[in-house]
Amino acid sequence: VAKGAALTAVACVLILACAQFHPLVHLVEAKTVGSAGVRLAAFGGCAGVALRLMGADVVGKGLRQVVPLWLSAAIALPAGTVGWFLAVNFRAAAVGAAMAVLLPPLGFVQRMAYWHGVRHQIEFVDVWLYRVSHGFVLCVLLGEAAKLASRTLPTRPQGLPAQAACAAARGGILAAATTAILQVALPAAGASSLGPR
């Protein structure tokens, strides 16, 4: 019981970190102003932990402790995406922190190149990667929600009216999921306007 509760708690923390990733990164950056080495250690450590937890499927195992049995299969892919999202974005943040540690001490030219060029390119890549991964997570969630809704419909309805109603319902679910992906997930991924915020 204690292990299950611990897995659930860790899963909730990871999901919260995924949902509030930008405020979390900004908090770490605010707390490590003038100390790029500490920032690198923080982001690098978070990336390594997220990668290990993703490999251990901690989010999936934690959620299975609290969701009904019939939902277990549906949460596998979204749970894996949470770990992937955190590992990818924390690693990108760690690369930016590493550049802040390595380039400025090399000399005046490298310091100017970092502050006036490299830093902005790193920020752009970080924003782009965050948007793409955020859009992918939303696509996964919407796809799984559509599959879950489709599974609630009868697999072999009896009679022509019931078959027509089920076909219409499946079409409506597919249309709703497609519309949500086009209007929510793709804009979140920066499909409409890509660039630094």
Side-chain angles (χ1 to χ4, degrees):
V1 176
K3 182 180 179 181
L7 285 172
T8 303
V10 173
C12 291
V13 169
L14 293 175
I15 293 171
L16 181 62
C18 182
Q20 298 294 319
F21 183 79
H22 258 178
L24 178 61
V25 169
H26 291 157
L27 176 64
V28 173
E29 290 175 345
K31 295 294 185 182
T32 56
V33 172
S35 182
V38 175
R39 186 181 306 170
L40 173 60
F43 286 144
C46 288
V49 169
L51 196 60
R52 288 182 177 274
L53 295 178
M54 179 183 68
D57 190 28
V58 170
V59 176
K61 291 175 181 176
L63 291 179
R64 289 186 193 100
Q65 303 293 323
V66 293
V67 302
L69 187 61
W70 58 274
L71 268 178
S72 296
I75 65 172
L77 187 56
T81 355
V82 169
W84 170 83
F85 175 92
L86 292 174
V88 165
N89 285 281
F90 272 130
R91 182 165 291 186
V95 170
M99 292 297 101
V101 170
L102 297 175
L103 285 182
L106 292 180
F108 177 79
V109 174
Q110 290 85 350
R111 185 161 56 252
M112 290 298 103
Y114 173 77
W115 285 111
H116 296 287
V118 175
R119 181 169 63 93
H120 301 296
Q121 294 302 317
I122 290 172
E123 290 174 357
F124 173 78
V125 172
D126 284 350
V127 170
W128 175 81
L129 187 59
Y130 171 81
R131 288 181 173 179
V132 170
S133 55
H134 185 211
F136 177 70
V137 170
L138 289 176
C139 285
V140 169
L141 291 174
L142 291 169
E144 289 299 320
K147 285 169 60 177
L148 202 59
S150 296
R151 287 173 187 162
T152 62
L153 299 173
T155 54
R156 294 183 180 179
Q158 300 297 321
L160 189 58
Q163 293 173 0
C166 284
R170 285 193 174 89
I173 292 169
L174 179 60
T178 303
T179 302
I181 288 173
L182 292 175
Q183 295 187 354
V184 178
L186 292 185
S192 56
S193 60
L194 183 61
R197 288 182 285 184

